[in-house]
Amino acid sequence: MEEEIKAEFLKNGFSFDDEAEILNKCLTFCIQYSLSPSDLVSSWDVYSLNRGLQLTVQSSHMGAFLQQLQNERREDIVKKEPGLHFYSSDISMMLNDEYENTKDIILGTPTDKRKTSQTETIVSARKTNGSISTSRKHLETITPFGQRKNKFVVQFTLNENANGESMKIENDEENPSDDIIKRVQPIKRCSLQIISSKPEPGCRFMYDRTENKFNFLESRIKDHTTALVASGLHEEPTDPTVASQRSVFAVGMICCEEEGRLKEKPILLQSSVEHSGGQRVRLDLQNLDHFSVFPGQVVGVEGHNPSGHCLIASKIVDRIPLSASSTENLPPTKKQAMDQYLQSTNAVAAMPELSLIIAAGPFTTVDNLFFEPLAELLSYARRKQPQLIILLGPFIDSDHPEIKKGTVDRTFDEIFQDEILARLRDYVEYMGSAARVVLVPSVRDASHDFVYPQPAFDIQLPDLEHQINSITNPGIFCANEVKVACCTVDVLKQLSAEEISRNPQGGSKQRMTTLANHILNQRSFYPLYPPAEGVPIDFSLAPEALQMSTAPDILILPSDLAHFVRVVSLGERSEGEEVKCICVNPGRLSRGEGGGFFVELNYHGSCDSSSASVLRI
């Protein structure tokens, strides 16, 4: 089995510093946790991505990797037994499957250890500086989050001195002047125009219909074919299943021959109904020096098929040239929104500028529903005065222990209103009419539709409808002429588990950039097919809602993988202008019982002159 583990590591581009010791430990892990070699390497891939490791597997990391495997094992057990809570001392029992015998003697969780004598609650009490205290929070409860010492620590900075400005982080100590805060000036008001508008609230969901799946996949292949031919760089594609000694050009979707992870041998290419009747052909990539492919990726392939059974690739085209029109094949509603946006941008000659804070849920720690991280974030925003705050779900996390156990005494809608909207209302009312907040739902939101793509939140705040907005998931909007695209499904993590590559450019340090590039190159918020387990895609809505109608200036993709802010090149337009995009993974605002991360970004006309910081709360 060691040879199988070694082969799986090498196939995914990894090498070893101490091969014998590493393979021996990995064999032990496989036996201990009943893992296949591919599952083990997949877990290592996630581990290395989170830590930004090189492609060399080092024996010194095996201890920490074991801890990750133990955490994954524990999570699997908790999913099967939601009422259980494990402490660190339970790990040895979990390794030997002895936890079943302890179910009846587990009496409590850290949540149960709070002081029960403190029963008074605070309901919508507000401080003089405009902040809202935690609703229904015990007066003297001390949480691990509240005891932390280091607040708002910069973890990473992009273009720190861009535009002559420094992303200086203020001290979080209380300041007497905090009670008198200068509001956002009217001249800095943030304009907001929502480009994507599907699905609408209250629409009917069809979920899993074969006809919709077929139409969705066929539409993606057809759109890529049209765009590649329209660019003038490629000829009209031919049927890749027909035997031919001469070089041919084909367009199709990367597929697995069997269930499970994609493997280099065999890979299939499914062409369109128009060119091949939807048939599949084996794709041989052995002549390529480097590639990066995943199931569902639509690519152009140059090669030859001498036998009629296998297309031998000499070149793969995995991106649509920017010279191709991005609005030609759009649905009427989205095309109309794009036309209106282009007209408005043509009328504005000023350089687009935007200051924003980006944070993704969960917005409360796992040991309570006090939403302390959200309160801290808004307190920070009151001092920094961004023009826009983008909050991405989950807001009421369906994976939160108290939500899963059903121990809350309010409905999910009530929690959303009391803990989320009430705080945001206080924030914008105090900051003034220029403050803007945009909310993006998640499929993990217990108070919202469990479907992807998702409609926007139905926010009933008539007096603040121009300050607190919600967009669809995924969605695109324009703020101060800056195009911002958002998607809260963890597509980066799911792509990292399914992608295979050879000699990736830049190594593991550029892996996040490669994953983000897949989203932009495919012009799809979710190019993976079949979708990952737990992603409830409605294919009747997908063709329009998942299509990325325009190349964004900022792409926000929250993920459990390591946080990052990267400038990604999308290629050149026909006139030679290089197009770039700032890709952001803000991380999670809360992690376990402690604080997580968020991003502060100042956009100044272009990606290269913009600055950003990843902060730990």
Side-chain angles (χ1 to χ4, degrees):
M1 190 174 182
E2 286 189 3
E3 290 300 321
E4 296 178 13
I5 297 173
K6 177 181 177 181
E8 195 69 28
F9 271 111
L10 296 177
K11 185 176 68 175
N12 284 270
F14 294 105
S15 59
F16 309 96
D17 71 339
D18 189 341
E19 181 176 318
E21 181 180 354
I22 291 173
L23 292 179
N24 183 49
K25 290 183 178 179
C26 287
L27 176 62
T28 303
F29 297 161
C30 285
I31 296 173
Q32 187 72 56
Y33 297 107
S34 301
L35 297 173
S36 66
S38 62
D39 290 337
L40 179 79
V41 175
S42 178
S43 294
W44 173 263
D45 197 16
V46 173
Y47 172 85
S48 63
L49 279 172
N50 277 323
R51 288 157 179 80
L53 303 181
Q54 300 291 336
L55 292 175
T56 300
V57 182
Q58 300 181 6
S59 58
S60 60
H61 287 287
M62 288 294 105
F65 180 48
L66 172 61
Q67 184 66 43
Q68 174 173 302
L69 293 176
Q70 291 174 341
N71 291 336
E72 291 176 354
R73 170 70 168 159
R74 179 172 55 185
E75 289 173 2
D76 290 341
I77 295 173
V78 171
K79 285 181 181 178
K80 297 177 182 178
E81 298 287 344
L84 293 180
H85 180 88
F86 290 101
Y87 300 92
S88 57
S89 59
D90 297 325
I91 294 296
S92 60
M93 290 188 293
M94 293 194 323
L95 298 182
N96 299 307
D97 290 334
E98 296 174 359
Y99 67 94
E100 292 89 346
N101 299 327
T102 67
K103 294 177 185 177
D104 295 333
I105 62 173
I106 296 177
L107 301 179
T109 68
T111 304
D112 300 323
K113 296 183 178 181
R114 299 185 197 138
K115 298 179 180 179
T116 57
S117 60
Q118 301 159 348
T119 57
E120 293 187 36
T121 60
I122 305 174
V123 180
S124 300
R126 292 165 173 79
K127 296 180 182 178
T128 56
N129 65 354
S131 65
I132 181 172
S133 63
T134 305
S135 176
R136 308 179 76 88
K137 177 177 178 180
H138 290 77
L139 287 173
E140 298 179 7
T141 300
I142 299 176
T143 64
F145 180 85
Q147 291 178 308
R148 75 198 195 287
K149 296 180 179 179
N150 296 325
K151 301 181 180 181
F152 307 118
V153 179
V154 177
Q155 302 290 309
F156 170 81
T157 301
L158 173 73
N159 297 341
E160 181 175 4
N161 296 317
N163 237 24
E165 296 183 5
S166 175
M167 299 290 289
K168 183 179 179 181
I169 307 304
E170 298 180 3
N171 196 327
D172 191 55
E173 297 297 327
E174 293 295 331
N175 192 319
S177 63
D178 284 350
D179 289 338
I180 306 175
I181 300 178
K182 185 178 180 181
R183 267 66 163 187
V184 180
Q185 297 299 315
I187 194 173
K188 296 182 180 179
R189 182 187 298 275
C190 171
S191 64
L192 191 67
Q193 180 182 2
I194 297 175
I195 297 178
S196 60
S197 58
K198 296 289 184 178
E200 298 177 352
C203 67
R204 292 184 60 188
F205 302 122
M206 306 302 293
Y207 289 103
D208 200 7
R209 290 179 56 179
T210 302
E211 178 184 356
N212 292 329
K213 288 183 179 180
F214 172 81
N215 291 335
F216 169 67
L217 299 177
E218 187 68 15
S219 173
R220 285 192 60 204
I221 298 174
K222 181 179 178 181
D223 289 346
H224 273 66
T225 301
T226 302
L228 289 171
V229 174
S231 69
L233 302 176
H234 305 280
E235 60 184 12
E236 185 72 27
T238 59
D239 184 355
T241 64
V242 176
S244 175
Q245 295 294 332
R246 66 180 183 88
S247 178
V248 298
F249 178 69
V251 179
M253 184 179 70
I254 300 294
C255 305
C256 300
E257 184 177 46
E258 55 191 24
E259 292 186 3
R261 291 191 63 194
L262 185 68
K263 299 178 176 61
E264 185 173 336
K265 293 182 180 181
I267 295 176
L268 301 182
L269 183 74
Q270 177 179 323
S271 190
S272 66
V273 172
E274 177 183 357
H275 293 100
S276 71
Q279 296 185 55
R280 297 179 174 183
V281 65
R282 290 200 176 196
L283 184 62
D284 189 341
L285 304 178
Q286 63 180 353
N287 292 337
L288 300 181
D289 292 332
H290 58 83
F291 60 82
S292 177
V293 296
F294 59 89
Q297 182 182 22
V298 180
V299 297
V301 179
E302 293 182 7
H304 64 284
N305 185 356
S307 65
H309 302 292
C310 182
L311 178 61
I312 303 174
S314 58
K315 180 181 179 180
I316 283 186
V317 181
D318 60 359
R319 70 166 60 188
I320 298 177
L322 291 173
S323 57
S325 172
S326 61
T327 62
E328 181 178 349
N329 298 311
L330 289 180
T333 55
K334 186 172 286 190
K335 189 175 188 303
Q336 181 180 3
M338 279 300 302
D339 290 341
Q340 293 175 354
Y341 163 73
L342 292 174
Q343 291 175 5
S344 65
T345 53
N346 290 336
V348 178
M351 179 182 296
E353 294 190 356
L354 179 67
S355 61
L356 65 159
I357 287 178
I358 306 167
F363 292 94
T364 188
T365 53
V366 297
D367 58 331
N368 61 62
L369 288 172
F370 296 163
F371 290 85
E372 294 169 291
L374 177 60
E376 291 278 5
L377 178 74
L378 295 178
S379 176
Y380 180 85
R382 282 192 300 276
R383 294 194 299 277
K384 301 296 287 188
Q385 303 178 39
Q387 294 171 295
L388 177 66
I389 297 179
I390 302 177
L391 301 180
L392 306 105
F395 295 90
I396 312 303
D397 190 4
S398 57
D399 288 340
H400 191 281
E402 294 189 22
I403 298 294
K404 293 173 71 172
K405 290 186 292 186
T407 57
V408 295
D409 57 355
R410 293 174 288 174
T411 67
F412 300 146
D413 286 335
E414 288 174 342
I415 299 175
F416 183 71
Q417 292 289 333
D418 295 344
E419 305 290 359
I420 306 297
L421 292 185
R423 297 174 192 275
L424 297 180
R425 184 186 186 104
D426 267 34
Y427 168 76
V428 298
E429 284 182 345
Y430 184 76
M431 292 299 292
S433 60
R436 304 293 295 263
V437 180
V438 171
L439 279 65
V440 187
S442 164
V443 294
R444 283 168 51 185
D445 271 306
S447 60
H448 201 45
D449 297 313
F450 181 68
V451 66
Y452 181 74
Q454 280 179 295
F457 287 119
D458 186 14
I459 299 176
Q460 301 293 336
L461 296 173
D463 53 333
L464 297 173
E465 61 181 354
H466 297 298
Q467 291 187 263
I468 301 178
N469 302 93
S470 177
I471 66 170
T472 58
N473 173 34
I476 304 177
F477 65 92
C478 180
N480 285 3
E481 313 309 328
V482 179
K483 292 169 288 184
V484 182
C486 309
C487 175
T488 59
V489 169
D490 196 346
V491 62
L492 293 178
K493 184 177 181 179
Q494 294 166 15
L495 279 176
S496 72
E498 299 294 338
E499 177 205 40
I500 63 171
S501 59
R502 176 186 296 168
N503 299 328
Q505 298 179 354
S508 62
K509 289 186 177 180
Q510 295 298 319
R511 182 71 184 281
M512 294 298 183
T513 303
T514 300
L515 295 175
N517 250 326
H518 283 319
I519 308 296
L520 295 164
N521 292 342
Q522 292 290 296
R523 293 190 182 175
S524 172
F525 285 103
Y526 197 86
L528 188 64
Y529 184 86
E533 183 180 356
V535 180
I537 288 189
D538 184 341
F539 288 98
S540 68
L541 303 171
E544 179 175 354
L546 299 188
Q547 183 179 4
M548 194 174 293
S549 53
T550 180
D553 298 308
I554 302 172
L555 176 62
I556 305 173
L557 300 170
S559 175
D560 292 335
L561 298 180
H563 51 76
F564 66 86
V565 181
R566 302 278 173 82
V567 176
V568 176
S569 175
L570 304 182
E572 295 184 352
R573 298 190 188 276
S574 55
E575 58 271 21
E577 176 192 0
E578 186 177 12
V579 180
K580 296 182 179 181
C581 172
I582 300 178
C583 294
V584 178
N585 170 18
R588 305 294 182 184
L589 191 64
S590 69
R591 298 173 56 136
E593 295 184 356
F597 306 92
F598 67 95
V599 168
E600 183 177 9
L601 192 153
N602 286 332
Y603 189 91
H604 295 285
S606 68
C607 297
D608 292 332
S609 60
S610 302
S611 56
S613 290
V614 178
L615 293 88
R616 187 181 187 102
I617 195 168

